[in-house]
Amino acid sequence: MAGGAREVLTLQLGHFAGFVGAHWWNQQDAALYRPTDAKEPPGELCPDVLYRTGRTLHGQETYTPRLILMDLKGSLSSLKQEGGLYRDKHLDAAIAWQGKLTTHKEELYPKNPYLQDFLSAEGVLNSDGIWRVKSIPNGKGEASPDTAGWGTGQSRNMEKEGSIRVWSDFLRVHLHPRSICMIQKYNHDGEAGRLEAFGQGESILKEPRYLEELEDRLHFYVEECDYLQGFQILCDLHNGFSGVGAKATELLKDEYSGRGIITWGLLPGPYSLREPQKDIYRLLNTAFGLVHLSAHSSLVCPLSLGGSLGLRPEPPVHFPHLRYDATLPFHCSAILATALDTVTVPYRLRSSPVSMVHLADMLNFSGKKVVTAGATIPFPLVPNQSLPDTLVQLGGATPWTPLSACGDPSGIRCFAQSVVLRGLDKACHTSQLTPGTPLPSPLHACTTGEEVLAQYLQQQQPSVRSSSHLLLTPCKVVPPYPYLFSSSLSQQGLLLDGPPTGAAVESIPVLGALCSSSSLNKTLGDLAKELTKLNLRRWASFLDAGVEQDDLEEVLQELCSLAQCYQGGDSLMG
């Protein structure tokens, strides 16, 4: 790979993982495009970490995600499993058989109107039937596709966004034919044939058909890498894909020893108590998933906008400058993808990257394989205000909103943390006070933005092992990202000190963090307590799916052991 990129292979397992992944790849795609006359040096983030180059049958260069995704029958809508880039109508017509030919075609799914304006985002299907692909950006590519037709953020309506039922409705990135792996034995829609239980998911990758298909795709992507640093896995925790993830991480650990495996356990928004079986299954799948994923991963991080992993519903988390519908996966997944795009920065940097293995080692000492995430979306900066001013205004409270369903973060202890602040112009990194003016805080005496951030974190959590990164690059939130933003934000996501301009927000500054946190002691302990109260005879179908009573007892013990890792004690000295 160009520039000696340390490649990462992404696995997306499950439908909500597909939602988060679609937003994630759309944001990566939006960040690739620059004006054709751009003279600035290559960006701070290296896209080759996540993308691979290739060629179509017509010799056109392509740039596609290094991705394997697994989902259920009926989840692709109008998206073709083999993708659109490598299709060749001329070859389709050149059939050797000279006899009578009968063609049977399935009825096509209608395309969601929400995606119509982006059908040519990456290229054009010419009149000769050949897909002409745009050149690889590499910092010098074509300008970003026009977003006309979507209207400004204020005119976008919830009804349109509510019509999005599958992630393929809004994915604007073309995938390689080896990316999509469909599980045909279970259905995405309907009440029958659902992938509901951890044991069902485990059994999928025990079947030679699916195991060989996954191994074949892994070998295809891994063998073309010059320096594979590891795997990032987006995995549904609440359904049977937690079992798929458990077997997939076990396979990766066995076959690719020494590589980083960072797993993001994804849970959709808050739920209701009106469907007891789904709620109990969600609890069981989450518990089994966390235990097994942490056993085989370098690091595991639950991601959710809900307030709790347990059975008792808690209100969704609040962002002061976002207005989102917690019942819409399209909204929840966009926020989680934005957090993910920020906290994964360390191992995607072009200069002095922190490898996945080193990031995990910093956070997971003493058996603490599970970490929490948090983010401030957007980071509340006012134009002409400095970073020290903003951090002082935040005060002593935890500056980010928790995103791991671990409850109120106040009063918790942090053992280690990795923090990223992105999207701030260099001019505001340090104090701009006139020489001789009394300094409002020690932060105003710092000479670099990196020093400001590091000192702030030291003030917040003394004696904690902290890694911090400060980037100029903002997070892109152009369509089809949902319009969630308050009218008090500028086009660059800064807080306006005057009347709204009416311009849609296109990029935002974001503060993101991964923490080894004492909140996990209570969260994992409470999860174990809820499991002990279950009368499993009422939920025999979960055991029938391939899990035995002994397995449940083992999960309970492991959860309690994990919880004990996060008990009080001294934080690791920096």
Side-chain angles (χ1 to χ4, degrees), residues 436-451:
T437 306
L439 298 178
S441 78
L443 298 181
H444 289 76
C446 297
T447 57
T448 67
E450 288 79 5
E451 189 183 342

Side-chain angles (χ1 to χ4, degrees), residues 217-297:
R217 290 160 196 265
L218 284 170
H219 293 156
F220 171 78
Y221 285 114
V222 169
E223 286 169 9
E224 66 181 12
C225 292
D226 292 330
Y227 181 75
L228 177 74
Q229 61 168 311
F231 306 86
Q232 60 177 12
I233 300 173
L234 281 62
C235 178
D236 287 4
L237 265 188
H238 60 293
N239 55 34
F241 274 101
S242 63
V244 177
K247 291 304 290 182
T249 52
E250 183 181 358
L251 170 68
L252 294 176
K253 186 180 180 183
D254 289 345
E255 286 208 21
Y256 303 99
S257 175
R259 308 295 186 190
I261 303 172
I262 296 183
T263 302
W264 310 97
L266 303 169
L267 293 148
Y271 56 96
S272 72
L273 292 174
R274 283 175 276 178
E275 299 178 286
Q277 177 164 321
K278 284 188 178 179
D279 294 336
I280 296 295
Y281 273 38
R282 183 187 58 80
L283 182 77
L284 288 163
N285 289 327
T286 300
F288 273 80
L290 283 175
V291 165
H292 285 81
L293 290 169
S294 62
H296 305 305
S297 302

Side-chain angles (χ1 to χ4, degrees), residues 363 365-366 368 412-416 461-465 516-518 564-574:
L363 292 168
F365 64 96
S366 304
K368 297 179 178 69
I412 63 157
R413 302 200 59 173
C414 181
F415 303 103
Q461 295 276 0
S463 303
V464 168
R465 187 181 197 176
S516 179
S517 163
S518 63
Q564 286 172 6
C565 291
Y566 300 91
Q567 276 182 336
D570 292 329
S571 56
L572 188 67
M573 298 297 288

Side-chain angles (χ1 to χ4, degrees), residues 124-136:
V124 178
L125 190 63
N126 284 11
S127 57
D128 60 2
I130 298 175
W131 187 273
R132 304 296 185 193
V133 183
K134 290 182 180 178
S135 60
I136 299 174

Side-chain angles (χ1 to χ4, degrees), residues 7-244:
E7 303 98 339
V8 170
L9 174 55
T10 303
L11 277 72
Q12 287 170 207
L13 309 174
H15 202 67
F16 188 61
F19 266 83
V20 176
H23 280 302
W24 156 274
W25 292 113
N26 288 345
Q27 287 181 308
Q28 307 313 310
D29 182 69
L32 288 173
Y33 290 95
R34 296 181 175 206
T36 51
D37 60 349
K39 295 179 181 178
E40 67 259 36
E44 297 161 299
L45 298 174
C46 178
D48 289 344
V49 172
L50 300 172
Y51 281 76
R52 61 178 294 281
T53 56
R55 286 188 180 275
T56 67
L57 295 168
H58 302 285
Q60 293 285 334
E61 281 192 289
T62 61
Y63 202 51
T64 52
R66 191 178 296 106
L67 168 70
I68 299 170
L69 70 85
M70 300 184 80
D71 209 338
L72 306 180
K73 182 172 63 177
S75 63
L76 292 185
S77 186
S78 59
L79 179 67
K80 289 182 170 61
Q81 182 173 343
E82 68 279 5
L85 280 183
Y86 293 79
R87 175 170 163 242
D88 187 327
K89 279 192 173 181
H90 299 305
L91 287 182
D92 290 343
I95 301 171
W97 172 251
Q98 299 298 315
K100 187 177 179 182
L101 187 70
T102 304
T103 303
H104 299 273
K105 292 183 71 174
E106 284 188 59
E107 187 176 342
L108 294 176
Y109 283 89
K111 289 184 171 66
N112 190 303
Y114 203 73
L115 195 64
Q116 292 300 303
D117 293 318
F118 287 89
L119 290 178
S120 60
E122 291 289 314
V124 178
L125 190 63
N126 284 11
S127 57
D128 60 2
I130 298 175
W131 187 273
R132 304 296 185 193
V133 183
K134 290 182 180 178
S135 60
I136 299 174
N138 282 346
K140 300 183 292 186
E142 301 178 24
S144 179
D146 184 14
T147 57
W150 290 74
T152 64
Q154 285 75 10
S155 68
R156 280 182 233 160
N157 58 70
M158 198 74 76
E159 184 182 342
K160 241 182 186 180
E161 295 177 349
S163 73
I164 295 174
R165 301 296 179 200
V166 291
W167 53 263
S168 50
D169 276 349
F170 63 94
L171 178 70
R172 60 176 280 182
V173 177
H174 285 290
L175 303 180
H176 189 274
R178 298 281 188 113
S179 280
I180 300 176
C181 177
M182 298 305 295
I183 299 170
Q184 299 292 344
K185 67 181 293 185
Y186 292 106
N187 297 317
H188 168 63
D189 290 312
E191 291 304 313
R194 304 297 293 268
L195 182 59
E196 298 176 307
F198 178 88
Q200 291 174 306
E202 266 199 321
S203 68
I204 286 172
L205 289 184
K206 291 177 182 175
E207 293 185 29
R209 170 188 172 185
Y210 293 110
L211 178 61
E212 289 169 10
E213 195 168 351
L214 176 59
E215 287 179 329
D216 177 59
R217 290 160 196 265
L218 284 170
H219 293 156
F220 171 78
Y221 285 114
V222 169
E223 286 169 9
E224 66 181 12
C225 292
D226 292 330
Y227 181 75
L228 177 74
Q229 61 168 311
F231 306 86
Q232 60 177 12
I233 300 173
L234 281 62
C235 178
D236 287 4
L237 265 188
H238 60 293
N239 55 34
F241 274 101
S242 63
V244 177

Side-chain angles (χ1 to χ4, degrees), residues 352-473:
S352 304
V354 178
S355 73
M356 298 178 91
V357 169
H358 288 146
L359 179 64
D361 285 347
M362 189 199 82
L363 292 168
N364 73 5
F365 64 96
S366 304
K368 297 179 178 69
K369 286 276 199 84
V370 184
V371 296
T372 63
T376 305
I377 304 173
F379 183 74
L381 189 74
V382 175
N384 303 317
Q385 188 180 57
S386 72
L387 175 58
D389 293 335
T390 306
L391 293 175
V392 168
Q393 286 176 5
L394 289 174
T398 304
W400 43 77
T401 299
L403 294 177
S404 293
C406 290
D408 184 357
S410 58
I412 63 157
R413 302 200 59 173
C414 181
F415 303 103
Q417 62 186 2
S418 168
V419 179
V420 175
L421 177 56
R422 61 185 300 187
L424 270 62
D425 190 80
K426 198 161 187 119
C428 72
H429 282 187
T430 55
S431 173
Q432 303 301 314
L433 293 175
T434 307
T437 306
L439 298 178
S441 78
L443 298 181
H444 289 76
C446 297
T447 57
T448 67
E450 288 79 5
E451 189 183 342
V452 171
L453 182 57
Q455 186 161 325
Y456 171 74
L457 295 173
Q458 177 67 19
Q459 290 175 4
Q460 290 290 101
Q461 295 276 0
S463 303
V464 168
R465 187 181 197 176
S466 285
S467 166
S468 59
H469 292 87
L470 184 63
L471 276 72
L472 303 175
T473 310

Side-chain angles (χ1 to χ4, degrees), residues 449-522:
E450 288 79 5
E451 189 183 342
V452 171
L453 182 57
Q455 186 161 325
Y456 171 74
L457 295 173
Q458 177 67 19
Q459 290 175 4
Q460 290 290 101
Q461 295 276 0
S463 303
V464 168
R465 187 181 197 176
S466 285
S467 166
S468 59
H469 292 87
L470 184 63
L471 276 72
L472 303 175
T473 310
C475 194
K476 297 286 189 179
V477 289
V478 295
Y481 196 95
Y483 193 81
L484 309 175
F485 303 101
S486 157
S487 60
S488 63
L489 296 179
S490 73
Q491 203 166 1
Q492 289 74 42
L494 303 181
L495 293 180
L496 294 168
D497 48 8
T501 63
V505 179
E506 294 182 354
S507 64
I508 54 173
V510 178
L511 176 67
L514 294 177
C515 304
S516 179
S517 163
S518 63
S519 63
L520 286 161
N521 174 250
K522 184 177 187 308

